[in-house]
Amino acid sequence: MNSLWNDKEAAQFPGDLGLRVYTSRLLGRDPSLVLHGGGNTSVKITEKNILGEDETLLYVKGSGWDLEHIEAAGFSPVRIDHLLKLAKLRTLSDPQMVNELRTHMTRAAAPTPSVEAILHAILPFQYVDHTHADAVIAITNTAHGLARIREIYGDNVVVIPYVMPGFDLARRCAEHFAAEAKKNTIGMVLLNHGIFSFGRSAQESYERMIDLVTWAENYLAKYKAWTIPIPAEKPVAQPLRQELACLRRELSATAGFPVILAMHEDAASLAFARRADVATISQLGPATPDHVIRTKRLPMIGRDVPAYVAAYKKYFNEHAPRAREPKTMLDPAPRVILDPDFGVATVGRSAKDAAIAYDLYVHTMEIIQRATALGGYQALPAKDIFDVEYWDLEQAKLKGGGKPAVFSGEVALVTGAASGIGKASVDSLLARGAAVVGLDINPSITGLYNRPDYLGLVGDVTDEQQLTAALEKTARAFGGLDMLILNAGIFPPGCRIDALTTAEWQKVLHINLDSNFMLMREAHPLLKLAPQGGRVVVIGSKNVPAPGPGAVAYSASKAALNQLARVAALEWGADNIRINSLHPNAVFDTGIWTDEVLAARAKHYGLTVEQYKKNNVLKTEVTSRDVAELAAEMCGPLFAKTTAAQVPVDGGNERVI
Ligand code: ZN
């Protein structure tokens, strides 16, 4: 592991706090050191307060910030005198501690200081860095972890036996440090948790962290436990979507809310899930306390959800009486699933949560495999894990999450999603918390968004194989399908019946009608398994109730699609699938309507562009967003008891009315 310190870069971060920001970001750049808010850093700075008095403050990472992207505003200034007095108390509950931290900051708007603030305060160095370095954890989480750490570091570090994060840990660290620190002590190893380094400057503290972790890496390498061999495993070729959707439905019922099930079939994930000893090494416990909430105590092996739930209930009943106060059981659904076909599948209340669980488990797999190579992985006793899982502060964090978004844990597929109404529908569904798959023939669809809850797929809706491939990819990415927005279609140039060729007629019907029939048929088994019922929204057209001359193929295709939707509503109601249509008209902010075309059409009717856009009963412009918002609402609770509805979005059309 190399230091990323760069004098030129560092010069752009003036002042003590500036350099604290800089080296915190350097730590944050390496996921083997800190991940998803894990780890924290601090700097002690003496400042003049509003009365002109000198005051020493601990600027410590605030909650809600991660080191990779932290800014000066992400550090909470806490009066250090008070923290040092707190460190001398015999006991302090977690809620009391958080109250003390929050009421002794000098900036009211600062985030809540890290629960490890007191620990930072007691270390007598200006800069303190703390990570959950994989290499160190791989060594501490073995049978002779303590002896190995002493062998590696001697008295360069003070070693702290495992104590749950919080006030007790800070107090124990203060005692150990006072009694054991030597002149050459540059860090502190917390068994089964992580490592601290400290120094007089930001660079010194950061580079000591790099040195300490490098020693651990070298030790693993010396015992042939650093490089993890990855056989060239191949993903399963046959369709898995049905099995994934069944499993997701069962997991959602267990959790009590819809969940995303994200499959990871890279070689490293498959290799771990297919290890002969996976049922042993994966069941020993999580790598560090901060993984417990996101990945749960243990992964599920295979697909037997009832067995997993029974084991979780047993574990809860065994440990609940020993917890600090009686607790209700958290939802027992697993967050990580190891299966030879699925590889590593992760579960979350949102695609982001599932992605975080995967990121954390990638590191867990490395730690377990390295520790196994070193002689045997050993996690904390189940009781300690329970205490973390049912910890006051963690519980408060879980409850403090607010109300989940309306489509949280649900999956939508939008066709023709690269532009216009399709793209607006992607936005409306993402804004409501759904994981969204955008399908389009335009390759730009893949780059529409780069976020864990979006998947862009290039595909031709008229090709049956490409449609089933899109559904398979949707299920592998998110676990199933809840909502289908049928938007893809074409509006060919005007042509009267006398002049319309058979080929042109067939082309329009193929794209606007046949493709939707095929997709609905193939999607039906997945929609049937949607935890809260399937929803289909058809983007129809004003031409259904009020056709116009010169658009026979388009009007006929949309009218037939309308009948298709009505029959589907009849056939699929028993499967708890609703299908509703909306009929937009004159939506001009789409790809087909360039400024030139608009101007030409307006002129044709003797109107200005502005008049032409608002040429309806309400004299209002209808945008893609208006249509998309209605499409999203049709999937939501407002339309929970409605199927086969046809709603115009056209500003009012005299011929339709
Ligand atoms: Zn920590």
Side-chain angles (χ1 to χ4, degrees):
M1 173 167 292
N2 295 317
S3 166
L4 302 174
W5 177 276
N6 174 310
D7 285 335
K8 252 195 191 155
E9 268 180 18
Q12 289 160 18
F13 292 85
D16 291 343
L17 185 57
L19 287 170
R20 179 67 286 173
V21 170
Y22 174 58
T23 56
S24 300
R25 288 187 191 173
L26 295 184
L27 293 175
R29 271 198 230 165
D30 189 335
S32 78
L33 289 175
V34 294
L35 200 60
H36 294 300
N40 42 57
T41 56
S42 69
V43 58
K44 302 172 181 84
I45 301 174
T46 303
E47 292 175 359
K48 289 235 182 294
N49 67 17
I50 202 160
L51 304 171
E53 302 157 349
D54 278 336
E55 199 167 48
T56 304
L57 303 174
L58 176 78
Y59 279 88
V60 64
K61 194 200 89 158
S63 64
W65 288 80
D66 62 56
L67 293 180
E68 190 182 358
H69 305 106
I70 200 156
E71 291 167 28
F75 287 93
S76 310
V78 196
R79 294 187 182 93
I80 205 159
D81 286 352
H82 190 68
L83 294 176
L84 294 175
K85 281 183 212 161
L86 291 177
K88 296 210 170 80
L89 289 175
R90 280 215 24 224
T91 59
L92 187 65
S93 74
D94 290 330
Q96 282 173 328
M97 181 177 77
V98 170
N99 181 62
E100 291 305 306
L101 297 178
R102 284 192 58 80
T103 52
H104 287 80
M105 302 195 299
T106 57
R107 206 175 70 236
T112 301
S114 159
V115 295
E116 279 158 349
I118 297 176
L119 212 166
H120 283 258
I122 54 113
L123 292 168
F125 295 86
Q126 194 186 3
Y127 286 86
V128 176
D129 293 36
H130 170 45
T131 71
H132 301 153
D134 289 353
V136 176
I137 308 286
I139 295 166
T140 68
N141 289 28
T142 56
H144 305 290
L146 175 61
R148 291 180 191 276
I149 290 294
R150 291 217 192 279
E151 181 191 337
I152 298 166
Y153 296 115
D155 51 18
N156 287 125
V157 303
V158 169
V159 183
I160 315 289
Y162 177 81
V163 179
M164 198 172 85
F167 178 71
D168 293 346
L169 174 62
R171 215 175 46 106
R172 288 288 287 280
C173 288
E175 288 164 9
H176 277 271
F177 190 83
E180 294 162 31
K182 302 279 179 336
K183 254 204 165 125
N184 58 331
T185 298
I186 57 171
M188 199 160 68
V189 170
L190 280 57
L191 297 179
N192 302 86
H193 175 154
I195 181 164
F196 280 78
S197 65
F198 23 75
R200 286 154 299 184
S201 70
Q203 185 178 5
E204 184 177 66
S205 183
Y206 166 72
E207 290 189 333
R208 282 175 173 176
M209 175 63 72
I210 300 302
D211 288 344
L212 290 169
V213 176
T214 304
W215 297 354
E217 290 180 352
N218 292 343
Y219 180 87
L220 287 166
K222 192 171 109 185
Y223 288 93
K224 310 249 176 298
W226 176 247
T227 310
I228 302 161
I230 298 174
E233 297 287 343
K234 284 208 174 61
V236 173
Q238 79 259 24
L240 293 173
R241 59 184 182 277
Q242 196 64 24
E243 283 153 280
L244 284 162
C246 282
L247 179 59
R248 172 172 171 260
R249 186 183 169 97
E250 205 179 351
L251 292 166
S252 299
T254 303
F257 44 82
V259 295
I260 296 294
L261 173 63
M263 208 181 132
H264 301 274
E265 43 189 352
D266 55 286
S269 297
L270 288 172
F272 187 75
R274 292 173 182 172
R275 271 181 74 125
D277 59 356
V278 69
T280 315
I281 62 170
S282 72
Q283 298 300 299
L284 299 169
T288 74
D290 73 331
H291 289 199
V292 175
I293 299 298
R294 310 290 200 137
T295 65
K296 283 267 164 142
R297 183 180 61 112
L298 296 174
M300 179 168 86
I301 307 280
R303 307 171 197 177
D304 192 346
V305 179
Y308 184 88
V309 171
Y312 189 86
K313 282 183 179 159
K314 187 165 168 269
Y315 152 82
F316 178 81
N317 289 331
E318 274 168 16
H319 298 287
R322 289 200 254 169
R324 294 173 184 187
E325 55 185 83
K327 300 281 181 352
T328 46
M329 196 174 82
L330 296 171
D331 87 73
R335 296 298 188 267
V336 178
I337 296 163
L338 304 173
D339 180 279
D341 290 344
F342 299 164
V344 177
T346 54
V347 177
R349 195 164 198 160
S350 65
K352 192 179 163 204
D353 284 352
I356 290 175
Y358 177 67
D359 287 349
L360 292 173
Y361 203 71
V362 164
H363 292 270
T364 301
M365 290 190 285
E366 289 180 358
I367 289 166
I368 289 176
Q369 292 181 100
R370 286 185 179 134
T372 303
L374 201 57
Y377 175 73
Q378 198 174 69
L380 291 174
K383 180 201 165 292
D384 288 313
I385 300 298
F386 185 89
D387 287 347
V388 172
E389 195 172 357
Y390 284 85
W391 181 17
D392 293 342
L393 293 176
E394 292 299 336
Q395 293 258 296
K397 237 189 269 172
L398 288 174
K399 284 181 201 136
K403 214 175 143 204
V406 61
F407 295 152
S408 172
E410 296 200 290
V411 186
L413 172 66
V414 181
T415 65
S419 61
I421 293 169
K423 180 178 179 297
S425 299
V426 171
D427 294 342
S428 293
L429 292 159
L430 285 173
R432 287 166 173 78
V436 182
V437 178
L439 178 64
D440 206 293
I441 201 159
N442 183 342
S444 74
I445 192 70
T446 54
L448 194 57
Y449 292 108
N450 179 18
R451 43 190 282 179
D453 51 3
Y454 173 77
L455 174 67
L457 297 176
V458 182
D460 178 351
V461 289
T462 63
D463 182 324
E464 213 166 297
Q465 276 188 349
Q466 292 186 39
L467 287 178
T468 52
L471 290 170
E472 181 69 19
K473 284 177 187 156
T474 299
R476 290 186 185 215
F478 300 125
L481 183 67
D482 305 82
M483 295 170 272
L484 180 59
I485 312 291
L486 298 173
N487 166 69
I490 54 165
F491 187 81
C495 183
R496 287 180 171 265
I497 295 167
D498 346 357
L500 186 65
T501 64
T502 308
E504 181 63 16
W505 164 267
Q506 285 175 340
K507 182 185 156 197
V508 176
L509 265 82
H510 200 37
I511 296 174
N512 289 2
L513 179 62
D514 300 354
S515 61
N516 287 318
F517 158 70
M518 292 189 292
L519 181 54
M520 281 168 66
R521 185 191 62 209
E522 296 303 318
H524 176 248
L526 298 182
L527 291 169
K528 209 175 147 176
L529 290 166
Q532 305 199 120
R535 284 87 85 198
V536 181
V537 174
V538 175
I539 308 296
S541 168
K542 179 229 56 170
N543 282 36
V544 173
V552 67
Y554 179 79
S555 302
S557 69
K558 288 288 185 180
L561 175 60
N562 198 58
Q563 288 301 82
L564 170 61
R566 295 173 73 192
V567 175
L570 291 169
E571 293 185 359
W572 294 357
D575 298 327
N576 197 19
I577 301 169
R578 323 187 256 113
I579 177 161
N580 292 298
S581 304
L582 46 82
H583 295 317
N585 188 34
V587 178
F588 296 117
D589 60 340
T590 62
I592 1 169
W593 292 93
T594 59
D595 288 347
E596 295 78 52
V597 175
L598 255 177
R601 296 310 297 164
K603 202 177 158 203
H604 177 81
Y605 290 101
L607 301 169
T608 66
V609 169
E610 197 59 15
Q611 286 168 332
Y612 180 67
K613 279 185 175 174
K614 297 179 177 176
N615 192 17
N616 53 47
V617 171
L618 294 171
K619 300 285 172 238
T620 184
E621 187 185 342
V622 182
T623 65
S624 294
R625 186 169 183 278
D626 296 324
V627 181
E629 283 290 293
L630 181 57
E633 283 304 309
M634 281 180 152
C635 296
L638 211 58
F639 279 72
K641 311 215 168 149
T642 301
T643 192
Q646 300 179 46
V647 182
V649 205
D650 56 7
N653 182 292
E654 280 173 18
R655 288 184 55 215
V656 174
I657 294 169

